[in-house]
Amino acid sequence: MNPMTTSSAKYGFPFIAYDIQEQLMDALIHVLDNNKVAIIESPTGTGKSLSIICAALHWIQHNEDNQLIDCTQRLQSLNEEIDRLDAQIKVSDHWIQLQHSKTTLCQQKETIDKQLKAFNMKKERNQCLIDKRNNSFVKQKVDLINKSVTKKLKTSSNTTQDLINSLSDNDVEDNLIVDYNSDDEVVDNKDKTDEEENYIRPKIYYCSRTHSQLSQFISEIKKTIYSRQQRPVRSVPLSSRSNYCINNSVSRLSNNSLINEKCIELQNSNNSQMKCQFLKNTLINEFKDEVLADVMDIEDITKLGKGVKACPYYSTRMAIPEAELVILPYNILLHSATRESFGINLKDSVVIVDEAHNLMETIYNIHSIDIKGSHVLDCLTQLNSYLTKYRTRLSAKNTMYIKQIVFILNQLIKHFKKCSQNTSQNVDNSVNFMISVGIENLNLYKILDYCQKSRIARKLFGFNENHKKFIKPENTDEVDKQPINGTKAFLAKIKAKGKSINVKTINTSNTNDQNNEEIKTFGSPLYVIQEFLRALITTNSNAKVITNCDKESIRNSSLKYIILNPFTHLKDIINECRSVVLCGGTMKPFEEYIDHLFKPLGVPLDRIFTFSCGHVIPDSNLVTIALGMGPNNRQLNYTFQNRNNNELIEETGRTVANLCTVIPNGLICFFPSYDFQDLYYNVWQKLGILKTIESKGKTLFREPKKASFVSKVLSDYNLAIIGSNKKGALLMCVVGGKMSEGINFSDHLGRGVIVVGLPYANKNSIELKEKINYFNSFKANSGNEFYENLCLKAVNQSIGRAIRHKNDFAVIVLLDSRYRYKENIKQGLPDWISSRIISCDNFAKALSSAKQFFQNK
């Protein structure tokens, strides 16, 4: 069902809209008017974000106008009816019944009067914000101060002494002792505002995956009339303390847990010198108005917050009740505890989830907890050392809870040892896992409550940092083989091995990634163990705990908590909101979202709306070649059994080298994994294929494994194409890697995209097996379809890096014979790709098609 097309000018679209943009805006209006749950697909490069903005903000204002008209008409009707009853009461014998009817009408009138008062308050408030926007001397001053400063999100340093430096010398020991005298004395100081939402609902909550995507969305809002008109949109972007905190003693700490706890500690401090200087109510309220008065992104707000010396984090949170458009990352919306901590009320609101193609995987990741044996061992050693040093100064209750945590850690170590004797992997549900470990009789709720209120993880981190400088290195055996006691021995052991006190979680997908991939840093291993225990007691009948055992070392063993039913974490969102919209560039097959998210939540089919549109480019601007044969007539079939075949690797290299001769400027080649890319690169180097590619005029670049190097590679890649030589470049990337999403290879940067093989996930992964079996239990073959879709969605994201606007043009080459003959794979590609496929049974035909395409351009 497609609504009638209307003029884009009605929506305040800043340019002449394409037909598909008008169709998308009409579809979104239809969804919001009729309280639908929608899946919307619009290819990347078709102005999807701008269409969403204009339709959504037009609907917000139009809906408010309709509410005002409706209230005014109802009030007029009620007044007329009350006047009529007043006249009848004076002359009728049934005046008691009439008086009762009048009372009921008067109550209704009182409700409408309150609504109209809210409209008037909002109108007056809008005028105040407009005045604030037009006369913001503070902002002008800050702009002058910062005019030479490049806008940049601050990054946190990994200075391990930050916590100790934030405390005075006299207070170090006292701040390391946990203070927990009763279950009720310490209250977690969350931001609790008494301000009620006095303005008209609904709100729109727009979320996307990364802060860069949110910033792009905000920059699109600034292009529209809604950002500067006399009826301005009230928008607020939300983020974590790590992005918004401007207090150096907090923001420079090494991870989010430490940042959050330090922030709360400064709020609660009885020492006026220790309190955060940016948490002054008057300044925060003033700054909140600055945020609401204009459309700003996180960088703008952070810079302005430094200028006015007011906390951006709490100012933006306080702005939520008055905001019409709340812009936030996935993790705030999809994690119920985080959502509640921000005070987000979704009742009768609209949620728009952009880049929703990875929504289910995001839900899995947000609610998955992975702890390693090293976390358990290090935490146990730290707690024992802490207990030994402060035993005489800790209360009985503190000692009891710390010993219970120590008991849990010892039981986890026993569990690793027991499992390693039987099998390398083990899967249990949460309840069976707790029974097998022997912690089912402990009150984990009270233990976690103690951890939260006493902040024992923070104290433990400070304890180890404070004592590290006194330790001399000495040679010792591995921790899990030889028990050690005492802080000095533990710290010496860590230092002797060249390891940081901070516990680090390393990507263990392969050896190369361990050496090159960036690592997460935890302030204390107890933080991640707390999260794991909290997940265990969460009511989720379809959660699993996977134990991976390393028979040689407990340190390398791990536990992973995973969920199998992502829909449960959308339940409150679907039930509370009037509309939920999932949109993205590659959303098909729609059935996956309907079967795995909406149907299990009981969403009726007549409430589900789907919309898909083509691309804005003409047919002549894209050719998709499905190629199953190389230049030496060897079949290109990258199944798991063939992927290490040297003849296939050589044939692939010859294929890519030949394509370099006909595809100008920038060419991006995607491989299924980093291992795959490394293998092909090394073989091509030995065979001289890399020199052949360079002789064709292409400078070769590879996607780095560290995110910090991405911008440098992209800059050099761009320079090789548009620089003085202008020969062009070949960029070797990874499907699902750092350059397969969110990177814009428009025009000369991406005249060609090559995809080598099909990036199927490892089907032997126990985690993936559990998910496939779970979905198959719901619907026959549903798990296998889920497995296929994981692969094709990754391919679709990669090939979407090219063709970013109407006049863009490119060639897409899919290297694998399965792209030619497997119908399910063809159907899994976006319509705008599959409708332009040329199936080539020989290499000459493919090369000729690509050559002819660029000759015509």
Side-chain angles (χ1 to χ4, degrees):
M1 174 182 176
N2 286 328
M4 295 291 291
T5 302
T6 60
S7 170
S8 60
K10 168 184 174 182
Y11 299 124
F13 199 81
F15 311 107
I16 298 174
Y18 306 132
D19 288 344
I20 63 171
Q21 290 172 329
E22 290 194 339
Q23 293 166 17
L24 194 157
M25 289 187 284
D26 292 338
L28 187 55
I29 293 293
H30 171 76
V31 168
L32 302 186
D33 278 341
N34 294 280
N35 298 9
K36 299 281 188 180
V37 172
I39 307 169
I40 292 178
E41 180 182 69
S42 179
T44 303
T46 57
K48 169 172 58 71
S49 296
L50 198 56
S51 301
I52 290 171
I53 290 165
C54 292
L57 297 182
H58 165 81
W59 180 84
I60 276 282
Q61 295 188 349
H62 187 64
N63 182 70
E64 183 179 316
D65 291 340
N66 287 341
Q67 287 186 54
L68 180 57
I69 292 170
D70 182 57
C71 285
T72 304
Q73 291 175 346
R74 285 166 56 201
L75 182 62
Q76 183 179 348
S77 298
L78 285 171
N79 283 333
E80 291 173 356
E81 184 65 16
I82 289 171
D83 290 342
R84 186 184 66 79
L85 288 175
D86 279 338
Q88 285 188 345
I89 288 171
K90 294 176 182 179
V91 297
S92 174
D93 294 335
H94 304 290
W95 63 271
I96 295 177
Q97 293 177 349
L98 294 172
Q99 185 64 47
H100 177 72
S101 298
K102 178 186 173 182
T103 301
T104 302
L105 293 178
C106 286
Q107 291 172 346
Q108 294 175 11
K109 179 185 174 183
E110 183 180 355
T111 300
I112 295 175
D113 282 336
K114 288 180 179 178
Q115 289 178 306
L116 290 172
K117 183 180 179 181
F119 279 113
N120 290 330
M121 287 174 62
K122 183 171 183 179
K123 185 176 180 181
E124 293 171 2
R125 180 74 168 133
N126 277 345
Q127 189 57 53
C128 290
L129 293 176
I130 290 170
D131 294 341
K132 171 81 71 175
R133 183 183 70 191
N134 295 336
N135 301 289
S136 180
F137 296 112
V138 171
K139 190 180 295 184
Q140 293 169 19
K141 180 180 178 182
V142 173
D143 286 341
L144 286 173
I145 293 172
N146 294 282
K147 65 180 181 180
S148 63
V149 180
T150 302
K151 291 199 302 182
K152 181 180 179 182
L153 275 178
K154 60 180 177 50
T155 55
S156 57
S157 68
N158 289 326
T159 306
T160 57
Q161 198 62 24
D162 291 333
L163 179 66
I164 304 306
N165 291 342
S166 68
L167 304 172
S168 66
D169 293 338
N170 297 329
D171 292 337
V172 169
E173 286 293 320
D174 289 339
N175 277 279
L176 295 178
I177 305 296
V178 292
D179 180 16
Y180 186 80
N181 297 318
S182 74
D183 293 338
D184 301 314
E185 282 184 7
V186 182
V187 179
D188 188 28
N189 183 23
K190 293 180 181 177
D191 179 48
K192 296 177 181 178
T193 176
D194 293 329
E195 181 178 2
E196 295 182 359
E197 297 187 37
N198 294 320
Y199 301 101
I200 310 305
R201 283 185 176 139
K203 294 181 189 298
I204 292 180
Y205 291 91
Y206 171 90
C207 73
S208 193
R209 190 173 63 88
T210 66
H211 284 296
S212 62
Q213 289 166 339
L214 296 176
S215 293
Q216 289 172 16
F217 182 79
I218 293 169
S219 69
E220 293 290 293
I221 298 175
K222 293 178 181 179
K223 297 176 183 177
T224 70
I225 60 172
Y226 300 101
S227 66
R228 302 300 300 175
Q229 64 181 1
Q230 287 303 104
R231 188 179 174 182
V233 59
R234 298 181 189 175
S235 65
V236 56
L238 302 182
S239 188
S240 63
R241 287 181 176 91
S242 61
N243 283 326
Y244 266 147
C245 182
I246 56 175
N247 187 323
N248 288 336
S249 67
V250 178
S251 62
R252 62 186 180 179
L253 293 175
S254 57
N255 69 82
N256 286 336
S257 297
L258 289 174
I259 288 172
N260 292 337
E261 290 197 358
K262 181 63 176 176
C263 174
I264 293 170
E265 179 183 302
L266 293 188
Q267 294 175 54
N268 292 339
S269 176
N270 294 322
N271 185 344
S272 59
Q273 299 298 318
M274 293 285 290
K275 279 189 175 293
C276 181
Q277 60 180 312
F278 304 106
L279 276 175
K280 296 177 181 176
N281 287 336
T282 305
L283 284 175
I284 286 178
N285 274 301
E286 285 290 324
F287 188 37
K288 176 196 71 175
D289 289 353
E290 293 277 356
V291 171
L292 290 170
D294 207 351
V295 177
M296 293 189 283
D297 62 20
I298 293 172
E299 295 173 351
D300 296 328
I301 292 170
T302 303
K303 184 176 75 170
L304 191 59
K306 290 177 180 178
V308 301
K309 298 188 184 302
C311 176
Y313 176 74
Y314 281 108
S315 297
T316 51
R317 281 177 54 157
M318 286 185 66
I320 295 173
E322 290 188 62
E324 296 169 308
L325 175 62
V326 180
I327 302 161
L328 66 167
Y330 276 177
N331 60 311
I332 295 178
L333 177 76
L334 298 175
H335 194 272
S336 59
T338 306
R339 194 166 66 237
E340 289 169 11
S341 74
F342 272 79
I344 291 173
N345 182 358
L346 295 177
K347 184 174 174 58
D348 297 329
S349 292
V350 171
V351 164
I352 298 175
V353 181
D354 203 357
E355 302 299 331
H357 60 274
N358 55 20
L359 177 63
M360 287 194 288
E361 283 305 304
T362 300
I363 295 174
Y364 288 135
N365 294 335
I366 287 175
H367 295 91
S368 295
I369 308 293
D370 197 353
I371 66 171
K372 307 213 175 291
S374 58
H375 291 151
V376 178
L377 289 164
D378 294 346
C379 187
L380 179 62
T381 305
Q382 292 173 18
L383 277 172
N384 280 329
S385 300
Y386 181 88
L387 198 57
T388 299
K389 182 170 180 63
Y390 295 118
R391 187 183 300 275
T392 59
R393 298 179 61 181
L394 293 170
S395 68
K397 185 161 285 191
N398 277 311
T399 303
M400 177 192 74
Y401 279 118
I402 292 174
K403 285 185 174 180
Q404 286 183 348
I405 299 170
V406 167
F407 174 78
I408 292 171
L409 297 173
N410 277 314
Q411 292 302 105
L412 291 176
I413 292 171
K414 289 179 182 178
H415 173 73
F416 282 133
K417 290 179 179 178
K418 179 182 176 182
C419 289
S420 65
Q421 294 171 0
N422 301 320
T423 178
S424 59
Q425 288 185 322
N426 186 56
V427 182
D428 273 318
N429 62 38
S430 299
V431 174
N432 288 341
F433 174 80
M434 287 191 285
I435 293 172
S436 67
V437 172
I439 60 173
E440 76 280 8
N441 291 324
L442 292 177
N443 190 333
L444 295 182
Y445 293 95
K446 295 196 75 171
I447 293 172
L448 289 169
D449 186 58
Y450 162 78
C451 291
Q452 178 183 351
K453 292 177 179 178
S454 67
R455 302 197 182 107
I456 176 63
R458 169 87 185 281
K459 307 290 183 181
L460 201 60
F461 171 78
F463 166 74
N464 283 285
E465 289 300 305
N466 191 39
H467 289 75
K468 180 173 64 173
K469 58 188 176 183
F470 300 111
I471 307 307
K472 294 181 179 179
E474 57 185 65
N475 294 324
T476 55
D477 294 331
E478 189 178 353
V479 174
D480 56 329
K481 292 181 179 178
Q482 178 65 42
I484 57 174
N485 293 307
T487 307
K488 292 184 178 181
F490 164 70
L491 293 171
K493 196 161 303 196
I494 296 295
K495 193 168 183 179
K497 289 184 172 292
K499 298 178 182 177
S500 168
I501 288 300
N502 292 350
V503 178
K504 299 179 179 179
T505 301
I506 303 176
N507 185 331
T508 57
S509 57
N510 57 59
T511 305
N512 259 345
D513 284 356
Q514 284 184 6
N515 295 331
N516 296 286
E517 190 54 90
E518 291 182 298
I519 50 180
K520 279 185 179 178
T521 305
F522 295 94
S524 165
L526 185 54
Y527 281 119
V528 70
I529 289 166
Q530 284 176 211
E531 291 304 307
F532 180 76
L533 296 178
R534 188 171 287 111
L536 284 181
I537 58 177
T538 301
T539 305
N540 193 332
S541 59
N542 291 296
K544 298 287 185 181
V545 179
I546 300 173
T547 304
N548 287 296
C549 293
D550 186 322
K551 295 185 179 182
E552 300 299 321
S553 171
I554 291 176
R555 297 191 70 84
N556 295 329
S557 300
S558 67
L559 295 168
K560 186 167 187 178
Y561 173 93
I562 63 169
I563 60 166
L564 303 177
N565 50 353
F567 62 83
T568 58
H569 296 280
L570 282 182
K571 184 177 181 179
D572 291 340
I573 297 174
I574 296 288
N575 290 344
E576 293 177 21
C577 294
R578 62 174 291 145
S579 287
V580 175
V581 181
L582 309 183
C583 54
T586 52
M587 296 298 293
K588 286 185 177 178
F590 295 150
E591 290 73 23
E592 182 173 72
Y593 302 93
I594 294 171
D595 292 342
H596 297 169
L597 294 179
F598 298 151
K599 279 186 180 179
L601 293 175
V603 179
L605 288 177
D606 60 0
R607 195 189 169 201
I608 299 173
F609 178 89
T610 60
F611 172 85
S612 179
C613 61
H615 212 291
V616 293
I617 60 168
D619 287 344
S620 59
N621 280 23
L622 175 68
V623 167
T624 306
I625 299 171
L627 180 59
M629 199 73 71
N632 296 320
N633 293 324
R634 292 194 180 106
Q635 189 179 38
L636 302 176
N637 191 336
Y638 302 90
T639 59
F640 183 79
Q641 294 79 5
N642 290 339
R643 65 194 317 179
N644 295 331
N645 184 299
N646 282 333
E647 289 186 354
L648 177 61
I649 297 174
E650 181 180 0
E651 189 76 346
T652 306
R654 305 295 178 199
T655 301
V656 172
N658 277 279
L659 289 170
C660 286
T661 63
V662 296
I663 299 177
N665 305 129
L667 176 60
I668 305 104
C669 185
F670 284 99
F671 293 85
S673 67
Y674 285 105
D675 277 350
F676 200 107
Q677 185 207 70
D678 287 342
L679 173 65
Y680 276 53
Y681 178 87
N682 292 332
V683 174
W684 290 358
Q685 192 172 43
K686 290 177 183 177
L687 296 175
I689 293 174
L690 297 185
K691 289 184 178 179
T692 302
I693 290 173
E694 290 178 353
S695 70
K696 307 290 185 183
K698 299 291 186 190
T699 304
L700 186 66
F701 297 90
R702 297 176 69 191
E703 176 181 317
K705 293 178 182 178
K706 289 188 177 181
S708 55
F709 295 158
V710 168
S711 59
K712 177 68 167 63
V713 171
L714 288 175
S715 176
D716 292 344
Y717 171 74
N718 180 54
L719 190 62
I721 297 168
I722 66 171
S724 56
N725 293 329
K726 295 184 179 179
K727 289 185 175 181
L730 171 67
L731 178 60
M732 296 174 68
C733 296
V734 174
V735 175
K738 297 168 185 63
M739 295 182 178
S740 65
E741 187 174 342
I743 304 293
N744 186 351
F745 291 107
S746 62
D747 299 320
H748 58 273
L749 294 178
R751 288 302 179 209
V753 174
I754 300 172
V755 180
V756 178
L758 286 154
Y760 283 109
N762 179 10
K763 211 167 186 177
N764 292 322
S765 160
I766 192 166
E767 185 176 338
L768 186 58
K769 281 181 180 179
E770 290 294 324
K771 290 178 183 178
I772 291 173
N773 292 337
Y774 176 77
F775 286 127
N776 280 336
S777 69
F778 265 95
K779 180 182 176 183
N781 206 42
S782 180
N784 298 322
E785 290 172 359
F786 166 77
Y787 178 69
E788 287 279 340
N789 293 337
L790 274 180
C791 169
L792 293 174
K793 281 192 288 187
V795 170
N796 293 340
Q797 279 302 113
S798 297
I799 60 182
R801 296 311 90 212
I803 309 293
R804 309 297 291 188
H805 57 83
K806 184 179 181 180
N807 297 318
D808 208 353
F809 58 91
V811 166
I812 295 172
V813 184
L814 306 174
L815 298 186
D816 199 311
S817 57
R818 290 172 291 180
Y819 284 110
R820 293 187 58 238
Y821 66 83
K822 277 204 164 190
E823 284 303 316
N824 63 319
I825 291 175
K826 289 182 182 179
Q827 292 170 4
L829 298 172
D831 292 342
W832 64 278
I833 296 286
S834 59
S835 63
R836 295 174 168 94
I837 280 187
I838 298 174
S839 182
C840 295
D841 53 1
N842 65 78
F843 183 75
K845 180 181 177 182
L847 198 65
S848 174
S849 298
K851 185 177 181 179
Q852 185 66 43
F853 174 83
F854 287 107
Q855 284 178 345
N856 292 338
K857 293 298 173 188

